[in-house]
């Protein structure tokens, strides 16, 4: 299907199904139950799942295939966001020009940074990208204030030119379909929300995922994997590695730009903090957590981290007290005292522990975990088959 | 006719004169061995052929074209393939994928932006790679991860990968170093077979005299960065200078 083999076509269909039905899948708990706070099926969070999914899929093309660990990809995301918001300020609130420009600008910017950084490999490459990203952050935060509006962040004002606006909507839209429009389907105790912005982003993510599959299965993708394994052999096999790594760097930069453009399309503002090194580090975590070099891993990793960031950070001490109210006071206070370090503002601690556990026990990330479970079931099944072959009495 | 002409090549590393005024001619379609004691400059010389090192002076001409100042991948595309002392293969990839890379490099050159093309759809590459594996008797190992192969198989795969590029000159850097006798003999047979079936020149650096004398037609003896003598294997065996510099040492 579409130039993919059977296995990859199945994977693509699974991803499509998951994104289409996400409003249901992310909302499994009835609203009145105590578990409702674990629901993630609201537009804002679902948009973030797929947008960061795009970011991670792109990063995986560079890091997962070539092994070049960039610590500066947030810079491309930030540049994409600024480019998109400028389109809103200058043209209209239609997201098409905004997204196109954000991909182009991020591509050019990554061409420049990649051209310089890829003169080195390994840790020196990582440090160079980190340095560039921090420089970009500093520029956006202060020096380039006329372009970026500094620490306030770039946003759309009423007196902006918006030459194509006319009588069009004043919120971001795709040819009239407004990004923030949400229809709610109430089914018993559940309320499922279908958001335009989410579905636009989801379509983009499915496209991004499809493209990454094509890249993985192309001769180009094979060369990128060869770079990760043995650059010496590749050089002495007549292949110039620089253009390959640079192409992978620019492609992943454009993915980051697309993510940045979509982020600004969902909420038309852009701040310098999107370019900070913590944001670059986050996408590294996503890819490693999900499984670097695998197709679906980055999406899983992005979803996992964004879920924790948004759900665990909402649980505060009052919620904990509510959960353990049935216990004797002393015990309740003790448990809440221990647990409160891991929730609310301390959600990073939980994430850190999980990250350590996964890296130590599942170096291949969540995908490896899934494969291990899969093998476990297979073995069980074949074990059953073996017992069935015993002659009946 | 000479395929490789080396004239007055010198290379100095700090205070060490690794190569001093080396002249060497490799004739087309021969097996030419370069031997010499440790530190004679054999590997340095080979590295000057493939673009890893640039000599301080002198010239290296391959088929009438200078290779000096060219990058390793450019020299490879000119028709020189190199086998390393420790097999350099793509250990994380399968044997088949290993084989496809040189086939792609031979067809598409140093860089090709074919990211939207299916690898499985490249029938010519698939067939060529499978044929090359079958020639090496590795068809059954095609889905194996290369890192799981034995050392001897890795060496065979590396040689097969080099041959898939249809090079005019194959450089081998101690191809049997650290191998058991049986593997060494297999490698000798393999190289003999390659010599017979391919239109190819082979230059080999080797320590093992058994390998050198069973394969080569010309031998250059290198000692302390300069060629002592160049002759046929029979003449080299009895040469007093060579005995003194090299074989004498081996007999101790």
């Amino acid at each position: 299907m579409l130039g993919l083999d059977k296995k990859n076509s199945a994977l693509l269909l699974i991803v499509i199904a998951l994104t289409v039905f996400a409003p249901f899948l992310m909302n499994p708990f009835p609203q009145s139950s105590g578990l409702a706070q674990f629901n993630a099926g609201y537009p804002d969070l679902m948009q973030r799942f797929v947008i960061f999914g795009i970011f991670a899929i792109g990063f995986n093309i560079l890091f997962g295939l070539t092994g070049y660990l960039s610590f500066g990809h947030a810079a491309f995301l930030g540049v994409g966001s600024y480019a998109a918001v400028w389109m809103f300020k200058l043209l209209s609130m239609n997201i098409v020009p905004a997204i196109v420009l954000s991909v182009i600008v991020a591509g050019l910017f990554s061409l420049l940074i990649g051209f310089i950084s890829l003169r080195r490999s390994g840790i020196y490459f990582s440090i160079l990208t980190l340095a560039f990203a921090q420089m970009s952050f500093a520029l956006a935060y202060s020096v380039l204030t006329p372009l970026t509006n500094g620490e306030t962040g770039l946003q759309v004002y009423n007196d902006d030119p918006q030459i194509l606006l006319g009588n069009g909507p004043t919120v971001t839209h795709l040819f009239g379909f407004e990004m923030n429009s949400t229809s709610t389907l109430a089914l018993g105790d559940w309320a499922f929300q279908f958001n335009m912005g989410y579905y636009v982003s989801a379509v983009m993510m499915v496209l991004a995922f499809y493209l990454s599959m094509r890249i993985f299965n192309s001769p180009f993708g094979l060369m990128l994997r060869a770079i990760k394994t043995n650059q010496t052999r590749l050089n002495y096999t007549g292949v110039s590695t620089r253009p390959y790594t640079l192409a992978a760097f620019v492609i992943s930069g454009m993915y980051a730009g697309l993510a940045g453009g979509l982020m600004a399309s969902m909420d038309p503002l852009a701040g310098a903090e999107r370019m900070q090194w913590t944001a670059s580090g986050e996408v590294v975590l996503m890819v490693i957590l999900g499984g670097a070099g695998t197709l679906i891993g980055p999406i899983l990793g992005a979803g996992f981290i964004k879920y924790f960031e948004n759900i665990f950070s909402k649980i505060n001490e009052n919620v904990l007290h509510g959960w353990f109210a049935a216990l004797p006071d002393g015990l309740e206070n003790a448990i809440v005292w221990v647990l409160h370090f891991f929730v609310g503002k301390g959600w990073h601690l939980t994430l850190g522990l999980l990250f350590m556990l996964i890296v130590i026990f599942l170096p291949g990330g969540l995908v490896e975990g899934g494969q291990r479970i899969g093998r476990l079931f297979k073995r069980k099944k074949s074990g059953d088959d073996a017992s069935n072959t015993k002659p009946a009495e | 006719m000479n395929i490789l002409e080396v004239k007055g090549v010198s290379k100095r590393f700090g205070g060490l004169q690794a190569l001093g005024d080396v002249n060497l001619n490799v004739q087309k379609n021969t097996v030419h061995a370069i031997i010499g004691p440790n530190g004679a400059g054999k590997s340095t010389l080979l590295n000057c052929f493939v673009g890893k090192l640039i000599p301080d002076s002198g010239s290296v001409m391959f088929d009438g074209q200078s290779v000096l100042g060219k990058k390793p991948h450019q020299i490879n595309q000119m028709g020189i393939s190199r086998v390393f002392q420790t097999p350099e293969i793509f250990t994380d990839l399968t044997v088949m994928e290993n084989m496809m890379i040189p086939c792609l490099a031979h067809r598409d050159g140093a860089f090709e932006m074919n990211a939207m093309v299916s690898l499985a759809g490249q029938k010519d590459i698939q067939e060529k790679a499978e044929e090359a594996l079958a020639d090496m008797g590795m068809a059954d190992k095609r889905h194996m991860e290369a890192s799981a192969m034995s050392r001897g198989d890795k060496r065979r795969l590396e040689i097969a990968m080099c041959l898939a590029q249809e090079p005019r000159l194959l450089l081998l850097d101690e191809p049997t170093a650290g191998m058991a006798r049986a593997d060494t003999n297999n490698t000798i047979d393999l190289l003999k077979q390659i010599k017979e079936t391919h239109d190819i020149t082979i230059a080999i650096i080797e320590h093992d005299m058994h390998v050198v004398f069973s394969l080569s037609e010309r031998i250059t003896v290198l000692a302390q960065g300069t060629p002592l003598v160049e002759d046929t294997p029979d003449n080299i065996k009895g040469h007093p200078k060579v005995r003194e510099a090299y074989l004498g040492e081996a007999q101790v």
Side-chain angles (χ1 to χ4, degrees), chain A residues 38-274:
Chain A
F38 289 110
N39 281 339
Y42 51 95
D44 190 38
L45 183 53
M46 287 197 300
Q47 287 168 4
R48 246 173 280 169
F49 282 155
V50 287
I51 290 173
F52 278 92
I54 293 171
F55 191 18
I57 291 169
F59 190 76
N60 189 42
I61 291 172
L62 179 70
F63 174 58
L65 289 180
T66 70
Y68 276 73
L69 178 56
S70 162
F71 266 112
H73 260 53
F76 309 130
L77 186 127
V79 168
S81 284
Y82 282 123
V85 176
W86 269 110
M87 281 290 102
F88 297 139
K89 286 167 84 77
L90 296 175
L91 299 179
S92 74
M93 297 307 271
N94 193 331
I95 64 170
V96 173
I99 287 173
V100 170
L101 188 76
S102 62
V103 174
I104 292 172
V105 169
L108 291 175
F109 194 49
S110 58
L111 184 67
L112 175 73
I113 291 184
F115 184 77
I116 299 167
S117 305
L118 286 165
R119 300 184 155 271
R120 291 283 170 269
S121 60
I123 187 77
Y124 303 102
F125 167 79
S126 304
I127 297 297
L128 278 172
T129 51
L130 177 63
F132 273 116
Q134 282 303 87
M135 273 153 57
S136 312
F137 167 69
L139 284 176
Y141 199 72
S142 53
V143 184
L144 292 179
T145 301
L147 260 179
T148 62
N149 209 13
E151 50 187 303
T152 323
L154 193 64
Q155 45 193 299
V156 184
Y157 298 110
N158 286 333
D159 57 350
D160 281 328
Q162 298 194 292
I163 49 175
L164 299 177
L165 188 64
N167 294 323
T170 51
V171 294
T172 51
H173 65 93
L174 176 69
F175 301 112
F177 296 103
E178 292 175 2
M179 288 301 115
N180 60 5
S181 70
T182 304
S183 53
T184 306
L185 171 70
L187 266 179
D189 201 9
W190 284 270
F192 300 110
Q193 302 181 61
F194 303 92
N195 170 261
M196 181 54 69
Y198 165 73
Y199 278 106
V200 168
S201 308
V203 167
M204 296 308 262
M205 191 196 76
V206 169
L207 277 176
F209 182 65
Y210 170 71
L211 278 182
S212 96
M213 276 180 155
R214 292 292 298 260
I215 290 172
F216 267 61
N217 294 316
S218 69
F220 175 78
L222 179 64
M223 290 299 179
L224 296 186
R225 286 195 294 145
I227 286 170
K228 186 180 185 178
T229 314
N230 192 340
Q231 273 208 45
T232 308
R233 176 32 87 201
L234 202 57
N235 274 321
Y236 288 99
T237 307
V239 174
S240 179
T241 49
R242 276 281 290 288
Y244 279 101
T245 45
L246 185 58
F249 193 89
V250 172
I251 291 171
S252 71
M254 288 165 84
Y255 269 77
L258 172 63
L262 278 171
M263 233 180 250
S265 301
M266 298 306 119
D267 186 7
L269 50 86
E273 74 288 342
R274 264 179 210 174

Side-chain angles (χ1 to χ4, degrees), chain A residues 214 225 230 233 236 238, chain B residues 76-77 88 97 116 158 165:
Chain A
R214 292 292 298 260
R225 286 195 294 145
N230 192 340
R233 176 32 87 201
Y236 288 99
Chain B
N76 176 280
Q77 291 284 355
E88 291 277 1
E97 285 168 338
M116 286 300 118
E158 192 189 22
Q165 296 190 281

Side-chain angles (χ1 to χ4, degrees), chain B residues 138 141 144 149-158:
Chain B
M138 290 181 158
K141 296 195 170 84
M144 199 177 185
M149 289 197 302
S150 71
R151 169 110 186 214
D153 276 349
K154 281 181 188 161
R155 170 63 73 215
R156 292 169 76 80
L157 176 62
E158 192 189 22

